Amino acid sequence: MPRRRLRDVAPRPASRVLWAAALLGAAALAGCGGIQSALDPAGPDAQRIAELTAWMSGGAAVVWLLVVGLAVYVLRVAPGEHPRRTALLIIGGGAVFPTVVLAGLLAYGLAMIPPLLAPAPPGGPTITVSGEQWWWRVHYQPAGGGAPVELANELRLPVGRRVDVFLESPDVIHAFWVPSITGKIDMVPGRRNRIALEPSRTGLFRGACAEYCGASHALMNFYVVVEEEEDFERWLAHQARPAAPPQGALAARGARLFLAHGCGACHTVRGTPADGGVGPDLTHVGSRVSLAAGVLPNERADLLRWIERTGDIKPEVHMPTFSMLPRQDLQALAAYLEGLR
Ligand code: CUA
């Protein structure tokens, strides 16, 4: 019996292409869900954008199929054969059909702009987000003149309510994007742009900087926590309060070290002498989802790692590395910051 050669058992080229296409398709579809996906909308604006994507992709597929079909037809017809039919196909399929399809898609896309730009109704908080090197400064001014709140790398939003977010940048251009909730918008120095966020379900979503802004652009993320209106109001009232006093000897030592090492020159901890404005406000840093703009989980060990190895974790970040501090001091600082909830 003859030995089977590899050629006999290996998949044929056509089936290999099909397999590759299926694998690619599966990989692409696997990326469609989750907390940072424009194809898994959690709000009416993201829903519109997802529908526009589907129609645009469908329209492109129809035009592509027609053009490829025409090319195949032309290759099979001998030159000079059916000149009238060929001319009709070129004008009809090459000019009229794409013009009609593209004009239809353009009108459909343009009609979507006014609802996406619709402002929030009055009565909600005014949220301002500033793109920093490389983190997000978040400022809430509650409606009705409550105390303002500043935090970093995190937004909280009430579910089912449209809220305006104003966007600024002190130096370079960033782009603010929460794909699950709406489209992206640039943060341009000297301008104050606006985008409305209207989440339709509670949960945790992830946003990212969508404009290359320097060495740690890819490490500039944030979280959006969407919760019920009462939970949101409770959270906002808590964020407006000054920091809780440190609990326990280790945290109390950390609080003293925080001031002694000059951390307060860059960071504010409301209710303490620390009132710096260069870095993130740390008044309630222990209550946040992440550290260092979505880069590390918010755990004591990661707080320590961040203080000790800032520049390794986020290249070219402004915050200096404090690797020269004794281990016990780093532990005390991490314990203090963890307790700022
Ligand atoms: Cu900020 Cu990219």
Side-chain angles (χ1 to χ4, degrees):
M1 195 177 131
R3 276 178 58 200
R4 293 216 297 170
R5 289 162 304 171
L6 183 62
R7 207 173 60 203
D8 300 331
V9 291
R12 299 255 172 105
S15 69
R16 256 183 258 163
V17 169
L18 277 178
W19 268 111
L23 274 175
L24 264 175
L29 282 173
C32 288
I35 62 172
Q36 190 181 340
S37 172
L39 299 176
D40 188 6
D45 300 306
Q47 184 70 45
R48 282 189 191 97
I49 294 169
E51 281 164 17
L52 178 69
T53 306
W55 279 104
M56 287 285 180
S57 308
V62 169
V63 171
W64 183 81
L65 281 175
L66 193 94
V67 170
V68 170
L70 279 178
V72 169
Y73 172 79
V74 167
L75 285 176
R76 281 160 181 265
V77 173
E81 207 183 331
H82 313 306
R84 261 178 65 88
R85 200 193 296 171
T86 309
L88 267 175
L89 277 172
I90 288 172
I91 294 166
V96 178
F97 179 77
T99 305
V100 170
V101 172
L102 294 179
L105 288 175
L106 179 69
Y108 173 67
L110 288 178
M112 199 167 276
I113 292 176
L116 281 173
L117 292 182
T126 304
I127 306 175
T128 306
V129 180
S130 173
E132 306 283 335
Q133 188 175 334
W134 284 273
W135 56 283
W136 310 82
R137 187 190 298 275
V138 180
H139 183 96
Y140 278 74
Q141 180 60 61
V149 162
E150 189 164 309
L151 66 152
N153 307 324
E154 191 166 308
L155 262 79
R156 296 238 177 174
L157 299 172
V159 69
R161 180 205 271 255
R162 197 170 180 81
V163 178
D164 276 335
V165 178
F166 295 91
L167 302 148
E168 300 172 344
S169 171
D171 39 36
V172 303
I173 301 178
H174 305 268
F176 176 92
W177 193 22
V178 194
S180 310
I181 300 179
T182 189
K184 62 169 94 80
I185 186 166
D186 276 3
M187 311 170 91
V188 184
R191 279 185 66 96
R192 187 170 157 86
N193 284 342
R194 180 188 66 82
I195 196 166
L197 300 185
E198 188 178 342
S200 59
R201 57 180 148 95
T202 58
L204 182 69
F205 303 97
R206 196 162 176 275
C209 181
E211 177 85 39
Y212 181 71
C213 55
S216 287
H217 154 73
L219 303 174
M220 186 171 174
N221 306 305
F222 60 102
Y223 283 96
V224 178
V225 183
V226 179
E227 45 194 14
E228 298 295 341
E229 183 90 34
E230 316 85 74
D231 297 328
F232 168 75
E233 294 296 344
R234 203 176 307 128
W235 170 83
L236 194 57
H238 177 73
Q239 292 288 316
R241 284 207 276 275
Q247 300 291 312
L250 189 64
R253 193 160 152 267
R256 285 195 298 278
L257 288 168
F258 188 86
L259 295 174
H261 287 305
C263 306
C266 291
H267 295 286
T268 289
V269 179
R270 278 172 273 136
T272 78
D275 61 355
V278 178
D281 184 308
L282 299 179
T283 308
H284 297 287
V285 64
S287 70
R288 290 176 201 155
V289 177
S290 75
L291 293 176
V295 173
L296 297 173
N298 194 357
E299 304 286 342
R300 190 186 292 196
D302 296 292
L303 271 162
L304 191 153
R305 201 148 68 89
W306 172 242
I307 301 167
E308 191 184 29
R309 300 180 47 201
T310 329
D312 295 339
I313 294 169
K314 185 172 279 197
E316 290 185 26
V317 70
H318 279 319
M319 180 166 156
T321 291
F322 285 88
S323 52
M324 71 301 221
L325 293 185
R327 196 79 190 160
Q328 305 94 297
D329 287 10
L330 289 168
Q331 281 163 346
L333 281 166
Y336 168 56
L337 295 171
E338 189 195 30
L340 295 176
R341 288 178 185 274

